[in-house]
Structure formats: structure tokens, C-alpha cells
Amino acid sequence: MATVLVVDDDAALITIICQFLENAGFGTVWATSGSEAMEKAFALQPEAIVLDIMMPHMDGHQVCRRLRRDPRTARSIIVALTARSQPVDKITAIQAGADAYLTKPFQGKELVETIQEFLPERLAKRSPRNGQILHLRFKEGVGATTLAANLGIALADRNHGRAVVADLDLQKGGLSDRLGLTAEGSWIQSDRITADGLAPKLLLHSSRLSVLPSPRIKAREVASAPVAKVLEFLRSWYDFVVLDTPANLGTQASAVLSSSSLILLLLTPEPAILRQAQASLPMIRQIVRAETQIWPIVNMAQSRQEPFAKQVEQVLVLPVAAVLPWAPQECEQAVQTRNPVVLSAPGSALSAAIHELARDIRQAAQLVAQERNGT
Amino acid sequence: MSSAQFGNLIQAEFFTSTHRLSGRVHAGTKPLGDLLNDHSQSYLLVFDVYISRLSEPGEIVAYAPTAFLTKDNLSFVIVPTRQARGPEQGRYASQQYKALVTLPGVEVQGKFAGPYRFDIRTFTPATLDTYQVLFEAEARLVSLPDVTFSGEAILVNRTRVESFCLSE
């Protein structure tokens, strides 16, 4: 049974709306203020929220924006309800994140039909694809953070799913800076990680990509349990979780490797790196799950027909999933403008290659989901 | 519908030259038009007022449980039809005219009822009620021409009118 959260400062109206919804087979919960609504929405993650716009203290637009930003409620159906009925009111509500807009006085049937119209699509999207992608690099400076940011944006496509990039360089990660986002506070406050503590720390990029910034802690080592818990939450909220990790995974190796469904081995055309990958591959295979896929990626390639890619395939006995061209000008411009290449140079060869890789990842995730569902 | 009636509380939209105020008025048995044209009180008491700036007319910037609005400084008010009719309409209404009215920063288009031989020169604040009703009306902000406010009736403050244009 789908649950609907009804939010209105008029208790009498809440009773009427709940009655309509319960008669139509929905479960209902209610809140009489914006702050109470957010508390209940984050805790219960209802399928739909009927939200009054005209409420004192925190109006419906503010509530709507915060619900949409939070991964726990980003997929809930939001129906705005208000006595303000001008076209500009509808536009404002939709821009704030509402799916639909009804004017008071309204018909109960109309409200029920509106929720039912959005429900099948939203329920389908609420099952995350559990696609956790780990970028494994064997040394710093191979463009892993650049790839993580760009791949995350390519995966966070409106029509294909929601994506987050988690900066797991816990001491000095700079992913949020790279995207022009400002992190506030650390998500590692204690060993106990909660959804309420984690969700507000996620940053939203204009491309729809969510970012979990580095907590930038001073301790050299962090226990793996909090990180594993964070990844568990992210996988339950997003279709794709891209991990940007340092070359030395340290104590996090087991947690990140064993929970990832796809590992991208990031290789630059250097014989030493290939030897390192060859030596590490058996150990990686011991830790990862049997169904985890390992895709070598050649980054900073001088040409599309890179001989190094052939060497990689021979040595690792794995097909190279992507050859990303060397694009120093575009990358330099992206760093300076804090606007990743897929946005700042969408027509570039690098951008095209990243989108192609994202498409392959989506297809692979779809195949895994179909196998899991037996379809 | 632009406005709704809650018991004896009338939901209406009030516009000044800078702000939009959505709120409820205790009109009792009288139409809201009568309260606006009542010269014995210069203020109108409004409850549950949500305030927006006309620069961002959909965004609510403040809430007030009660507010006093100075009738003279309102530009126009959007109300349900039955709240618009004042005594003036009962006396003269016999033919419909279309009009375009310009107010500071706003254009209002709509229909109004007047006598068969309507003389625009008689249309002065001194001779008629302060608020003129335009039915099936639409107001457009000059600064944001894509933004319109429509309603069954718009009560236009005649003392704020810059031009009153009759059309066919």
C-alpha cells in the first residue's frame, strides 16, 4: 500500500483529504507545518506528498525544494495544493519541484487521480539499480577525479537515473572544489552513521549530480564500518554511486571493493602502471563478489587506436571498456572554470567518450537488473 | 478560480504597485466590493496574509496572521464574481463594455457593465464608487509581461487609474 503524507496547516482539511485517500486505498500520515512535514517525510519516505503551499513560517515552496534536494524524498510524488491559482503560482510550484498542482477548492477524485497517474513510474524508479562503480587507480595524477566528476554527470541524466559521486579521499579529497561546490561540516562525526546525519551533507550540482564531499578529517586511518554504512545508504538512494578513491585504499579496501558492482581500472599509458595492475588483479578478484565486473579504462590516450589498449587486453586478459583521449586544453579549462568537460566542452572527443562509457554502464546495469528479476 | 470562499471568510488577492498579498477578509453578509467602497473606513483588515513581491510574484516572502491594507493604496483586487457587485452595478448595469485600464506598472483588461448611453467623461472617482469592477478580467505586469493574473472579477482602484480605454 502506497503511503501519502498530507501537509496542511488546516487540520480540518487534512481530515477530509486523508479520508479521500484512504477510501482510494492509500495509507496516510499527516503534518501541520513545514518542519514537521520534512521530519516525517525523511523518516517515512512516503510514495507521495500532498503539500499545501500557503503555510506560515515555512511555505510549501521551501519545503518542496528541500524534499527534492534530499535523496530520501527526491523520488516522492509531490502534489502542490493551494488557494493561489494564478499561472505564475503553478510555474513557481513546478520549478520548486512539484509534480502537479491543484487549486483549492479541489475534487477528492482529482487528487486521487493525480497521484495514481504518477505512481507506477515513480514506484519503478524507487528501486535503485545498486550500481556502485569504483575507480581504481594505481597512482595519483591519472585523472581519476576528473573521470569521476564527468562520469557522474553523464550518469545523472534526467531520463536515466540518479547518480552520486562520493569523494572517498577522506583526508584531502578535492572533488567538491572541482565542481565549484562548498562542503559544510564532515559526515564522519562518530562511528554511528545515520540517514538524518548523512543526507544533509550531500551537495547538489546544477547538472543533477549529487556529491558526497570528502570529510577532510585529520586522522590517517578511518575504520571501514562507517564508510560501509555510508555506501549502503547511497546505494539505497541512488541508481549509480561513483566512488572517487585515493590510490592507496588503506583500511577501506575491503569495504569499497566488496560492495562495488563495477570496478574501473584506470590506466594511463605507462608500462609500470600496467605491471602494477597485473600484479593487483588476483588480489582484487579475491575480495570482490563473483558477479562484479572489472573494466580496464585507458585514460589520457594520445590516439583512439592506442597500442597500449591492446597491450592491456593481452596482459590483463580483459577487454578495454573505453579509451579516453588526452585533452589537456579542455581539462585545464574545466579545472579553471570548475565546470567539468562534459558541460564545458560537450562537443569534445573526451566528452563523447565519457558519454559512451556512461551508456555502456547503464546498459550493463540494466542487464544485471533484468537477470536479477528473471526477465 | 482565482479566489475561494471559506465560510464567511473571503479569499482574495490584493495588489499594490509593488506587492501581491493573498489573504482572507471577514466580509459578513456584504460583498467585498462594498467593503472596499465603504468610505467610512480607510483600512481593510485581512487575515492569513501571504506576501509576494511583484518582481517574483509566485514566491512567498512573508506571512502575517493579520494585516491592515490601506484601501487608497491598493491598485486592484481579484475576487469571486459575487463579491464584486456593489450598489453601483445594480443601478446602472445594462450593457457590457470592454476596457483596457492602465495602472502604475499594470495593465488590466476586462468587461464592465454600464448604462446604454455610457459617457466616458462621467467615469471619474468623484462621481462613482472608488473601485470599478471588470469582469472576466486579466491583469498583466508591465515589468514581466508574461506574468498575468486573471479572475472572475477584478476591482480596479479608480484613483490609481492612469488611462481608461474603451474598446469595441
Side-chain angles (χ1 to χ4, degrees), chain B:
Chain B
M1 248 180 72
S2 62
S3 314
Q5 203 164 350
F6 296 89
N8 57 348
L9 281 171
I10 310 303
Q11 178 78 30
E13 301 246 33
F14 302 88
F15 292 80
T16 67
S17 55
T18 52
H19 288 84
R20 170 191 184 191
L21 303 99
S22 310
R24 303 184 209 188
V25 181
H26 266 295
T29 52
K30 288 182 179 176
L32 184 54
D34 278 8
L35 289 186
L36 287 166
N37 285 317
D38 177 1
H39 295 289
S40 67
Q41 277 193 321
S42 58
Y43 292 94
L44 193 66
L45 179 59
V46 186
F47 299 95
D48 282 333
V49 185
Y50 290 85
I51 303 151
S52 302
R53 298 187 188 112
L54 287 189
S55 54
E56 280 185 302
E59 294 289 348
I60 296 165
V61 293
Y63 163 78
T66 53
F68 286 98
L69 309 187
T70 51
K71 294 178 193 174
D72 286 351
N73 289 325
L74 295 173
S75 294
F76 64 96
V77 183
I78 303 179
V79 295
T81 307
R82 63 183 158 207
Q83 293 300 322
R85 291 191 187 280
E88 170 210 324
Q89 277 70 44
R91 286 198 299 271
Y92 302 115
S94 49
Q95 185 168 325
Q96 280 206 331
Y97 297 89
K98 282 185 184 174
L100 166 67
V101 181
T102 65
L103 301 150
V106 182
E107 300 155 2
V108 184
Q109 278 187 299
K111 297 173 186 169
F112 72 99
Y116 279 114
R117 294 188 179 186
F118 178 71
D119 183 350
I120 200 163
R121 286 171 297 184
T122 64
F123 191 81
T124 63
T127 57
L128 296 166
D129 288 329
T130 309
Y131 281 85
Q132 166 70 39
V133 185
L134 293 177
F135 295 103
E136 298 171 33
E138 184 180 83
R140 189 178 295 273
L141 299 181
V142 174
S143 58
L144 299 168
D146 291 339
V147 177
T148 58
F149 302 92
S150 56
E152 292 173 355
I154 291 183
L155 289 157
V156 176
N157 184 348
R158 230 190 292 252
T159 62
R160 312 274 291 172
V161 168
E162 292 166 338
S163 70
F164 188 97
C165 314
L166 270 183
S167 55
E168 291 295 313

Side-chain angles (χ1 to χ4, degrees), chain A residues 277-293:
Chain A
Q278 186 185 19
S280 305
L281 200 53
M283 284 183 285
I284 294 167
R285 284 197 165 121
Q286 278 182 354
I287 300 172
V288 300
R289 291 171 291 160
E291 65 272 23
T292 300
Q293 298 183 39

Side-chain angles (χ1 to χ4, degrees), chain A residues 26-154:
Chain A
F26 292 107
T28 58
V29 283
W30 49 269
T32 54
S33 69
S35 54
E36 187 189 358
M38 288 198 297
E39 202 176 293
K40 288 190 174 172
F42 294 153
L44 302 169
Q45 298 176 33
E47 278 76 16
I49 298 164
V50 177
L51 180 61
D52 183 24
I53 296 298
M54 291 160 76
M55 291 190 292
H57 311 304
M58 185 185 282
D59 67 63
H61 296 139
Q62 290 173 282
V63 177
C64 196
R65 287 187 189 105
R66 290 179 65 171
L67 292 174
R68 278 290 175 250
R69 284 177 70 94
D70 194 288
R72 291 165 290 179
T73 47
R75 292 165 199 264
S76 295
I77 300 160
I78 299 179
V79 180
L81 207 59
T82 175
R84 280 186 158 194
S85 62
Q86 300 298 335
V88 71
D89 299 318
K90 183 175 182 180
I91 292 167
T92 307
I94 299 296
Q95 282 175 344
D99 293 294
Y101 180 93
L102 294 181
T103 304
K104 294 176 184 177
F106 62 95
Q107 300 287 321
K109 190 171 169 247
E110 194 184 0
L111 175 62
V112 169
E113 283 174 357
T114 303
I115 295 172
Q116 284 171 337
E117 181 193 332
F118 286 96
L119 204 54
E121 176 213 351
R122 214 50 65 93
L123 285 176
K125 281 189 178 174
R126 276 171 74 98
S127 300
R129 295 174 210 178
N130 196 14
Q132 183 173 299
I133 303 152
L134 169 64
H135 285 77
L136 208 53
R137 53 178 146 175
F138 299 99
K139 73 167 197 175
E140 302 296 340
V142 293
T145 300
T146 299
L147 178 59
N150 283 285
L151 185 60
I153 291 169

Side-chain angles (χ1 to χ4, degrees), chain A residues 255-293:
Chain A
V256 297
L257 282 167
S258 62
S259 59
S260 294
S261 52
L262 173 62
I263 291 170
L264 302 180
L265 288 181
L266 199 56
L267 310 163
T268 44
E270 296 168 73
I273 286 189
L274 182 55
R275 282 197 298 275
Q276 208 172 346
Q278 186 185 19
S280 305
L281 200 53
M283 284 183 285
I284 294 167
R285 284 197 165 121
Q286 278 182 354
I287 300 172
V288 300
R289 291 171 291 160
E291 65 272 23
T292 300
Q293 298 183 39

